[in-house]
Amino acid sequence: PARCVRRRLYMRVLLLTHNVAGIFDDPDEALRPWADGLAALVQRTRADFIALHMQEVGGSRWRTCGLNGAAAVAGAVEAALPDHWSSGMMVRTDTAEDGFTALGSIYLVRRSAMQLVRLWRWKEAEGAAGAFESLRAADGPLVPQPGLPPRHCRHERFPRHLYGSTWSRKGYLLTRWQLGGGGGAVLDLVNVHNFHDESNLAALAAGASTYASCRQQALSLVTAALLGLRGGGAAGGGAAPAPASAAFLFGDFNFRLDLAHAV
């Protein structure tokens, strides 16, 4: 009798993080070399799926210039990697203090592998179930807009009390993907920007930074949200599928393994 043998489909995955403040502050000098370097890395690794998590989108002049450069950065990435589908930059362009985090994420998929990748669509209304959808069905590119598309990601700014009285743009951005086709691995990818020390010199003199506990609480909040998904809950109110095969947190964690050397 004939046997049905299920073939495993493997994909090369590349997870990247970069604080891009310098690129936004000096795009004429920094943007093209950065995009070319990204393309060279993708070519060298032959990656099929690339997650690019960015922090400090907008650079140091975000208050006055807003996120005018976000489209240019996403465009440079797309131009450098024409053989890849691009999500565009997932970023909140409304810089109001009640929700802005300066987090941005771009996801790229080799066009020949698009049929093997699906993006989770979170439920948007009570009674509307979430589901995976093919990239061909997804709105794309997922261009910047005042509020991030809730159907494609969960975006949260850390509560103000974690950092004290000073307002901070720190938070996380979560997306969920299925790689390898139906029945493939489900991955939660979290772009995190954690709290920084107000003064590295003060932190060094204190021995243990007072903001270390702030960072710990922030990461605990993120992991609690992920564990809620694994338990069938829903981060930000979106119904979740079966538990993810793995979760990856990568971004700017703002801690130094050797602070004295960094200073």
Side-chain angles (χ1 to χ4, degrees), residues 4-169:
C4 179
V5 179
R6 182 168 178 169
R7 199 178 104 189
R8 281 191 163 185
L9 300 174
Y10 293 96
M11 298 185 66
R12 296 180 179 88
V13 176
L14 181 62
L15 307 180
L16 302 170
T17 183
H18 192 189
N19 187 312
V20 293
I23 294 170
F24 278 84
D25 287 346
D26 191 7
D28 292 339
E29 292 293 328
L31 180 54
R32 179 62 182 273
W34 176 76
D36 289 346
L38 173 64
L41 178 60
V42 171
Q43 183 177 17
R44 186 167 67 251
T45 58
R46 295 183 295 163
D48 301 303
F49 177 91
I50 303 101
L52 175 58
H53 286 181
M54 294 168 286
Q55 306 80 41
E56 300 292 349
V57 170
S60 61
R61 297 189 296 271
W62 64 274
R63 290 184 185 275
T64 55
C65 299
L67 301 187
N68 295 334
V73 171
V77 170
E78 293 169 19
L81 294 163
D83 293 335
H84 290 71
W85 173 90
S86 172
S87 68
M89 189 183 296
M90 292 185 179
V91 61
R92 177 169 176 160
T93 56
D94 180 357
T95 56
E97 293 189 357
D98 62 345
F100 182 58
T101 63
L103 290 169
S105 297
I106 297 177
Y107 300 94
L108 301 146
V109 181
R110 192 176 300 278
R111 295 188 186 279
S112 60
M114 282 181 64
Q115 75 278 8
L116 302 178
V117 179
R118 298 196 297 171
L119 173 61
W120 179 251
R121 185 190 72 241
W122 305 85
K123 76 169 188 177
E124 297 180 76
E126 197 61 36
F132 279 112
E133 64 181 11
S134 72
L135 298 186
R136 299 188 188 281
D139 297 335
L142 308 176
V143 295
Q145 54 184 292
L148 277 165
R151 69 174 65 88
H152 293 125
C153 66
R154 284 294 177 261
H155 171 258
E156 299 287 343
R157 185 169 66 91
F158 291 135
R160 186 168 183 168
H161 72 268
L162 290 184
Y163 193 66
S165 58
T166 305
W167 177 75
S168 173
R169 293 176 294 150

Side-chain angles (χ1 to χ4, degrees), residues 163-217:
Y163 193 66
S165 58
T166 305
W167 177 75
S168 173
R169 293 176 294 150
K170 304 303 189 290
Y172 70 93
L173 192 159
L174 164 69
T175 56
R176 171 166 280 201
W177 301 82
Q178 186 175 50
L179 307 184
V186 175
L187 305 181
D188 286 334
L189 303 180
V190 189
N191 185 356
V192 177
H193 197 182
N194 211 336
F195 298 114
H196 64 277
D197 292 297
E198 288 189 349
S199 168
N200 285 329
L201 292 174
L204 182 62
S209 168
T210 56
Y211 291 99
S213 61
C214 300
R215 289 188 281 270
Q216 182 184 31
Q217 291 178 67

